[in-house]
Amino acid sequence: MKRKRYDMEKKKTELQTAIEELSLLIITKPVDNIETSHIPLTPFLSLCNLIIQVLDKIGPTMAVLRQDIDQNIQRLEKVCETDPCVYSNLVEILKKERNEGTYKMVASCSRALLWLTRTMDFTAGLLRRLSKEMSSKMEELIEETYLATLKLHHGWIASAAFKVCLKLVPDNKTFMEAIGGRDESYETLREDIATLSSLLTPILNEIFIVLEQFGLNKLRSM
């Protein structure tokens, strides 16, 4: 029985595991006061770690994004460790740094949450396009998604770096084989991609609303 359970878990792809993780990520957002919202830190970071594994399949193009994601996750984990009971809610971290006047600083946890959410938004957008246009070139889909998401917040240095990395994107077949299961059909993979995107997008929209309330939505990189 244990062997069978292990084999079943082993066959799950990163996409399928991420879909399961999303069921644990429940955001509580009161209508009257957004600052009393609850965004659970651990499930969100767990999801981000899974998304990293999906982005890794794109190859060197995502290396810069991956490094940023890793750093931002570590920054949030570190502050949570100082008081797990309080800072298990990401909103409490936002309030702490706003009260200290540090929330807009480059190395703040508030910025870490902002960029993690933006990167997840990029991923959700890419998956959405991929599920609808699986015959399109990966390079085109990534570029279109970048222009609609991260590009809006990147300065010329970050944009130039991304443009260079875009030349290293794998072809569709290579990427699809990398993110799919060994015995998974093409249609099942497409459904997994569409499901993850559809579940992730509304959660990210809720987080963006909270970030906007704290005046973080217009911050840019270099």
Side-chain angles (χ1 to χ4, degrees):
M1 183 67 179
K2 289 184 179 180
R3 177 68 181 176
K4 184 177 180 181
R5 182 181 301 171
Y6 172 77
D7 289 340
M8 289 177 66
E9 291 178 352
K10 188 176 179 181
K11 291 179 181 179
K12 291 178 183 175
T13 65
E14 286 89 354
L15 291 172
Q16 293 165 345
T17 305
I19 289 171
E20 292 184 358
E21 288 289 330
L22 277 169
S23 66
L24 302 176
L25 184 53
I26 301 174
I27 296 176
T28 304
K29 188 170 72 67
V31 177
D32 56 337
N33 185 2
I34 290 179
E35 292 193 17
T36 61
S37 301
H38 187 276
I39 304 174
L41 182 144
T42 300
F44 180 70
L45 296 188
S46 178
L47 176 64
C48 290
N49 275 312
L50 286 169
I51 295 300
I52 286 179
Q53 297 175 44
V54 176
L55 291 177
D56 278 345
K57 302 301 190 296
I58 299 177
T61 303
M62 297 295 106
V64 176
L65 282 182
R66 192 194 201 290
Q67 184 179 10
D68 285 343
I69 293 172
D70 279 334
Q71 291 176 345
N72 291 330
I73 287 175
Q74 291 171 18
R75 194 173 298 158
L76 287 165
E77 287 177 336
K78 188 174 181 179
V79 74
C80 181
E81 290 171 359
T82 63
D83 192 337
C85 292
V86 175
Y87 300 128
S88 60
N89 178 9
L90 284 163
V91 178
E92 293 302 321
I93 296 176
L94 294 176
K95 290 195 290 189
K96 170 184 179 292
E97 292 192 336
R98 184 190 58 187
N99 294 339
E100 294 173 347
T102 61
Y103 69 119
K104 291 187 179 181
M105 291 183 177
V106 174
S108 70
C109 288
S110 299
R111 271 186 180 265
L113 175 59
L114 174 67
W115 282 104
L116 276 176
T117 307
R118 284 173 173 173
T119 305
M120 295 303 104
D121 188 45
F122 165 82
T123 305
L126 176 59
L127 293 174
R128 183 166 55 251
R129 280 180 167 82
L130 187 60
S131 68
K132 296 178 180 178
E133 308 170 42
M134 296 185 83
S135 60
S136 299
K137 292 182 178 179
M138 276 297 297
E139 182 177 344
E140 294 176 356
L141 294 176
I142 291 173
E143 185 171 22
E144 289 172 3
T145 307
Y146 175 72
L147 292 174
T149 55
L150 293 174
K151 169 65 176 176
L152 303 175
H153 314 291
H154 276 174
W156 71 270
I157 295 178
S159 295
F162 190 89
K163 190 173 183 179
V164 172
C165 292
L166 197 59
K167 301 181 183 298
L168 303 173
V169 172
D171 57 63
N172 284 43
K173 185 175 184 296
T174 301
F175 179 68
M176 299 299 280
E177 288 178 351
I179 65 173
R182 181 180 301 176
D183 302 319
E184 190 174 31
S185 69
Y186 198 73
E187 181 58 27
T188 299
L189 178 57
R190 189 198 68 77
E191 290 176 359
D192 286 345
I193 291 172
T195 298
L196 179 57
S197 174
S198 64
L199 291 174
L200 184 55
T201 299
I203 288 176
L204 296 176
N205 288 340
E206 294 293 340
I207 298 176
F208 276 130
I209 290 173
V210 173
L211 289 168
E212 184 176 9
Q213 178 71 19
F214 281 84
L216 293 162
N217 58 313
K218 294 183 179 180
L219 295 181
R220 292 169 58 86
S221 67
M222 294 178 64

